Amino acid sequence: MTPLDVKVTRLHALLADLERVVVCFSGGVDSAYLLAEAVGVLGTRAVALTAVSPSLAPEEGAAAQRLARALGARHLLVETFELDDPRYAANPVNRCYFCKTEVYGRAVAEARKLDAAHVLDGFNRDDRADWRPGRQAARELGVRSPLDETGFTKTDIRQAARRLDLPVWNKPALACLSSRFPYGTPVTPEGLTRVARCERVLRAHGFAVCRVRHFGPRARIEVAPEEVARLRHPALLADVTARFRAAGFDAVDVDPDGYRPGALNETASAGRESAR
């Protein structure tokens, strides 16, 4: 067997041992692959759960519903209220801890109703390298991470998802909309709606990888590095700028370096110790 085959076999055995699970399902490749394998091993004893809040773009929620249906999974849409927590809304460097406490807490409550002993998420080995304060919430609430436990990297997940013909096998990573706000900038429903609207503009122009960073009245656009020149074409940039201003931004900048994962997390390093 190949190294990936070994990991898949271990994953199947782990899922079988868990017997009945709730999978926290965002619709991204990590949670989609985990859900597909869980349904394959456990059938109706694997249930998908998607947290619905202003930090989830509406089209992402709709895509998650379509994919769960295609996988034959029972799918729960559960409203979460992390924005009601002033600690979350203040957007400290450990914002994700407060979000995951809310999301995982509701997932655990739903799991109890279903007589499922385990809540699972799509955390994997490569995620260990990033700033992930939400892991503390996972530990506190007993959430399991089968992909991490069985050694899956992001590359492994994409390869395994492609084998299963999952349509999201090559979907770009897409963190929640609150990640567009620099730490210390309050997260508001209005701001989240503005970001979602503007990222929709960029995707309509063909930018599959894009982020709209919310710096108060100013938006900073990040697209794939090889796409920066196209975005800066005068006619295209003029159209994007006009649409961003209509959404409520006063000024628009283009990051010359383009998108890079965890860019805003680079500013978190100084505050990590105080956030723990």
Side-chain angles (χ1 to χ4, degrees):
M1 290 195 298
T2 67
L4 181 56
D5 290 329
V6 172
K7 293 177 184 181
V8 171
T9 298
R10 290 174 179 167
L11 177 62
H12 289 174
L14 186 155
L15 291 169
D17 286 343
L18 296 180
E19 296 186 346
R20 189 179 297 274
V21 302
V22 169
V23 178
C24 293
F25 176 58
S26 67
V29 63
D30 302 331
S31 61
Y33 173 65
L34 178 60
L35 178 62
E37 294 288 20
V39 171
V41 172
L42 300 172
T44 58
R45 290 177 290 141
V47 176
L49 182 146
T50 299
V52 179
S53 78
S55 66
L56 176 71
E59 57 268 29
E60 288 299 312
Q65 290 185 69
R66 290 193 298 270
L67 183 52
R69 187 163 52 246
L71 293 173
R74 179 180 176 187
H75 189 202
L76 304 178
L77 298 174
V78 177
E79 190 173 6
T80 58
F81 301 94
E82 57 270 22
L83 274 171
D84 292 347
D85 185 340
R87 298 170 298 176
Y88 175 93
N91 199 15
V93 294
N94 62 336
R95 178 198 68 238
C96 287
Y97 168 73
F98 302 112
C99 174
K100 294 301 186 183
T101 297
E102 168 74 3
V103 172
Y104 290 150
R106 292 189 176 270
V108 168
E110 291 296 328
R112 288 184 185 135
K113 295 177 187 177
L114 297 168
D115 198 28
H118 302 283
V119 172
L120 314 181
D121 71 6
F123 185 85
N124 62 77
R125 286 296 171 93
D126 286 346
D127 290 333
R128 295 184 181 191
D130 197 8
W131 170 231
R132 299 269 178 164
R135 296 311 296 161
Q136 180 183 345
R139 290 190 294 270
E140 291 173 354
L141 290 164
V143 174
R144 297 280 297 269
S145 303
L147 298 177
D148 180 54
E149 292 176 37
T150 51
F152 276 80
T153 65
K154 192 75 169 187
T155 298
D156 292 330
I157 294 167
R158 291 196 184 278
Q159 289 178 352
R162 189 175 189 179
R163 286 185 183 180
L164 297 180
D165 291 324
L166 295 183
V168 295
W169 74 269
N170 63 344
K171 181 179 180 179
L174 191 64
C176 80
L177 293 175
S178 294
S179 69
R180 313 311 196 251
F181 292 70
Y183 293 116
T185 299
V187 179
T188 65
E190 296 79 15
L192 292 168
T193 299
R194 186 176 302 126
V195 165
R197 179 178 171 182
C198 290
E199 290 192 354
R200 205 172 295 124
V201 168
L202 293 173
R203 285 193 293 273
H205 279 293
F207 296 100
V209 176
C210 61
R211 298 289 188 273
V212 174
R213 306 298 186 187
H214 193 295
F215 290 86
R218 180 172 61 87
R220 188 185 75 193
I221 302 174
E222 298 174 12
V223 296
E226 64 273 16
E227 293 270 42
V228 171
R230 182 167 77 88
L231 176 59
R232 283 178 155 173
H233 186 279
L236 176 55
L237 186 57
D239 179 72
V240 167
T241 299
R243 292 174 184 272
F244 275 42
R245 286 177 174 163
F249 285 112
D250 294 337
V252 180
D253 298 330
V254 177
D255 189 322
D257 297 324
Y259 169 70
R260 56 197 183 281
L264 292 183
N265 284 344
E266 295 167 3
T267 66
S269 57
R272 289 185 186 184
E273 290 303 321
S274 61
R276 287 175 182 168

